[in-house]
Amino acid sequence: MENAHWIASISLLAVGAVAAIGAGVAAAVRQRDSSETPTLQMLKKLYQDKVDFSKRELDPYKSKAKDVVTTLLKLIQKHVRQGDPKIDEEPIGTGSAFEGVKVKPEVEFDFMVPIQIIFQQIIVSDDDHNVPGCFGLIQIEKSEWIQFQCATVWGRDTADFKEKFCIRFRSHGYVLSAKKIQQWFQSMCARTLLELARYFPGFNFRFRTSGPARTLVFDWLGKEVNIDLVPAVQYEDAYLVAKMTSHLGEAAWRFSFSTHEKAFFQSLSPNYCYFKCLKILKYLRENDKKMCPTSHLSSSCPSYYLKTAFVHQAGQSDQDIWKNEDLEDRVKNLLRYLAECMGRKHLQHIYKNKTNLLKDVSSTTLEQIRFRLLYIHKNFESVLQYHLQY
């Protein structure tokens, strides 16, 4: 409680420090449209000045990113050996830049790179309660089945394939290793670096390892462009991506429903405030550390929590309450809904109904996130004034 009071005191001081300046900002904004509330006018100004990465601004970078990645994947093909998984030449754009909810200032793009793997079964939590809800094991099966697969598909001996791409995991036999696939894919990327530069004269390409992804970095039109590439295996209408973020380590692959999420955002009308609402909330989350350096909202609340809460709210409400003049209400309702989820310690996964995204998050962390969400909700106008100034 002492820590919470201390944080509250710091935040109140921050707001107080800009109150006089903020009043001037509010007064200036009020003059723009007397039919709008001062808070709505500030929201629109914040969105236009600091939040929105417009389609006109982003599309050239998006087009160049896809061109670079497609070229990279074509170049990789010559380095793939007999017995290696097949890498698709057509990447799948995912994440905020392809959903229409990208926030300034970073120019970042995410691509899944499908790889072709013959597997016998995907083991999920219904099959083994030790497997987390958002993950799956890609079971290649037992030795005799691997031997048949290698002889007929990869043309390699069993021992070589197991050593290169699999690990033996508990009672499930041999499963595809996310770590080994990552390392193999990253080595394929590294071999293309010099050749890739010949296709794009003047580009200074370099690779950076960023968590589970292989990040391709280059400078273009005055900005650093970051492209995350992650191997993915298709399973039914979803993908399993090589992201080792569970307690099972390299044995578990994380489910991705990115294509479904992209389709959902494409179904929303751009003439309503859906996109503005989520982008403003993302901005407030990312920049809350400016007001409160110890903010758990910035450090411990992933953007995916915000997206999940937004999808629940947007999918369960009538379009009529998402008119542009309702922006203030929608942002504040989303703040309150997220705070309620933190208080209940439950945020249901969008596509896996039995999965609670907050299950393994500590109560202390959830309470600190909740505290910041409620603070922003309660001091909404002052918070906007602060961000308009800094």
Side-chain angles (χ1 to χ4, degrees):
M1 288 302 296
E2 290 181 2
N3 186 45
H5 291 151
W6 179 81
I7 294 172
S9 299
I10 293 296
S11 300
L12 288 170
L13 286 171
V15 171
V18 299
I21 300 174
V25 173
V29 173
R30 284 189 189 101
Q31 297 176 4
R32 295 170 57 194
D33 188 345
S34 59
S35 66
E36 296 177 346
T37 67
T39 305
L40 179 57
Q41 291 172 12
M42 284 192 289
L43 274 170
K44 292 175 68 173
K45 181 171 176 56
L46 181 70
Y47 182 76
Q48 292 167 3
D49 293 354
K50 295 194 173 184
V51 176
D52 184 34
F53 224 137
S54 70
K55 181 177 173 63
R56 177 182 56 81
E57 293 176 285
L58 193 61
D59 274 0
Y61 291 102
K62 187 191 297 184
S63 178
K64 181 60 67 175
K66 185 166 185 181
D67 187 20
V68 168
V69 173
T70 302
T71 303
L72 171 71
L73 296 181
K74 287 180 179 177
L75 294 174
I76 281 178
Q77 304 303 319
K78 66 179 68 176
H79 299 291
V80 177
R81 301 174 182 175
Q82 183 183 16
D84 289 352
K86 182 180 184 299
I87 301 175
D88 283 7
E89 294 186 19
E90 188 63 28
I92 300 174
T94 65
S96 60
F98 294 91
E99 295 166 349
V101 291
K102 185 79 181 73
V103 173
K104 289 180 178 178
E106 287 79 12
V107 182
E108 300 170 334
F109 302 96
D110 298 306
F111 290 91
M112 291 192 301
V113 179
I115 61 173
Q116 303 301 318
I117 292 288
I118 296 177
F119 56 85
Q120 183 168 359
Q121 181 185 1
I122 302 297
I123 299 167
V124 297
S125 56
D126 288 343
D127 307 309
D128 183 343
H129 70 274
N130 292 310
V131 179
C134 293
F135 291 80
L137 309 179
I138 303 177
Q139 186 182 56
I140 303 299
E141 213 8 302
K142 298 178 181 178
S143 298
E144 62 270 16
W145 197 84
I146 292 182
Q147 186 172 7
F148 169 77
Q149 176 170 247
C150 291
T152 57
V153 179
W154 284 296
R156 309 277 291 190
D157 63 88
T158 304
D160 181 63
F161 179 75
K162 287 191 297 184
E163 181 179 354
K164 190 171 183 180
F165 297 114
C166 301
I167 60 170
R168 186 158 194 134
F169 189 73
R170 299 178 182 173
S171 62
H172 299 302
Y174 290 95
V175 300
L176 195 66
S177 164
K179 180 180 179 181
K180 291 183 177 182
I181 288 293
Q182 278 180 24
Q183 292 174 339
W184 164 76
F185 178 70
Q186 290 170 7
S187 71
M188 294 294 104
C189 289
R191 294 178 188 180
T192 69
L193 198 61
L194 293 177
E195 194 172 0
L196 184 65
R198 289 198 288 268
Y199 280 81
F200 298 91
F203 281 50
N204 179 27
F205 291 111
R206 59 265 189 202
F207 284 112
R208 181 187 303 149
T209 300
S210 176
R214 184 67 163 174
T215 302
L216 176 62
V217 183
F218 62 90
D219 301 301
W220 191 59
L221 298 181
K223 291 184 181 292
E224 183 181 88
V225 181
N226 289 264
I227 303 174
D228 280 353
L229 303 169
V230 60
V233 175
Q234 186 170 8
Y235 174 58
E236 296 179 350
D237 60 347
Y239 285 86
L240 287 155
V241 293
K243 294 190 174 183
M244 298 178 293
T245 53
S246 84
H247 67 277
L248 298 184
E250 64 184 292
W253 291 58
R254 198 184 78 187
F255 271 102
S256 170
F257 297 89
S258 297
T259 54
H260 293 275
E261 292 163 6
K262 184 163 60 175
F264 173 81
F265 281 99
Q266 289 172 347
S267 74
L268 299 176
S269 171
N271 298 320
Y272 289 74
C273 70
Y274 293 109
F275 296 94
K276 293 185 182 76
C277 177
L278 180 55
K279 287 199 273 189
I280 288 171
L281 186 61
K282 289 175 64 176
Y283 177 89
L284 294 176
R285 178 201 71 89
E286 176 61 29
N287 291 279
D288 192 48
K289 58 193 174 188
K290 294 179 180 178
M291 294 191 72
C292 177
T294 59
S295 171
H296 280 69
L297 179 60
S298 290
S299 65
S300 305
C301 184
S303 182
Y304 193 72
Y305 290 177
L306 276 58
K307 180 198 288 189
T308 301
F310 170 81
V311 171
H312 288 319
Q313 291 277 285
Q316 297 170 12
S317 58
D318 191 89
Q319 182 174 261
D320 287 342
I321 70 169
W322 291 87
K323 295 189 288 290
N324 285 312
E325 57 264 34
D326 298 318
L327 179 59
E328 178 185 349
D329 288 341
R330 298 287 70 76
V331 175
K332 292 176 77 173
N333 281 358
L334 194 51
L335 284 165
R336 186 167 56 245
Y337 174 69
L338 261 172
E340 291 171 356
C341 290
M342 300 301 148
R344 296 195 307 266
K345 303 179 183 178
H346 188 274
L347 179 60
Q348 181 178 299
H349 192 282
I350 303 169
Y351 300 105
K352 294 178 77 66
N353 295 336
K354 297 179 182 179
T355 300
N356 173 17
L357 296 177
L358 307 182
K359 179 183 176 182
D360 298 322
V361 184
S362 76
S363 297
T364 301
T365 296
L366 293 176
E367 181 56 30
Q368 292 291 341
I369 295 172
R370 177 177 172 272
F371 174 84
R372 290 306 303 169
L373 290 166
L374 291 176
Y375 176 85
I376 295 171
H377 182 275
K378 182 178 180 180
N379 302 278
F380 195 58
E381 188 169 331
S382 296
V383 169
L384 295 181
Q385 291 170 354
Y386 179 91
H387 287 299
L388 282 168
Q389 284 297 309
Y390 299 100

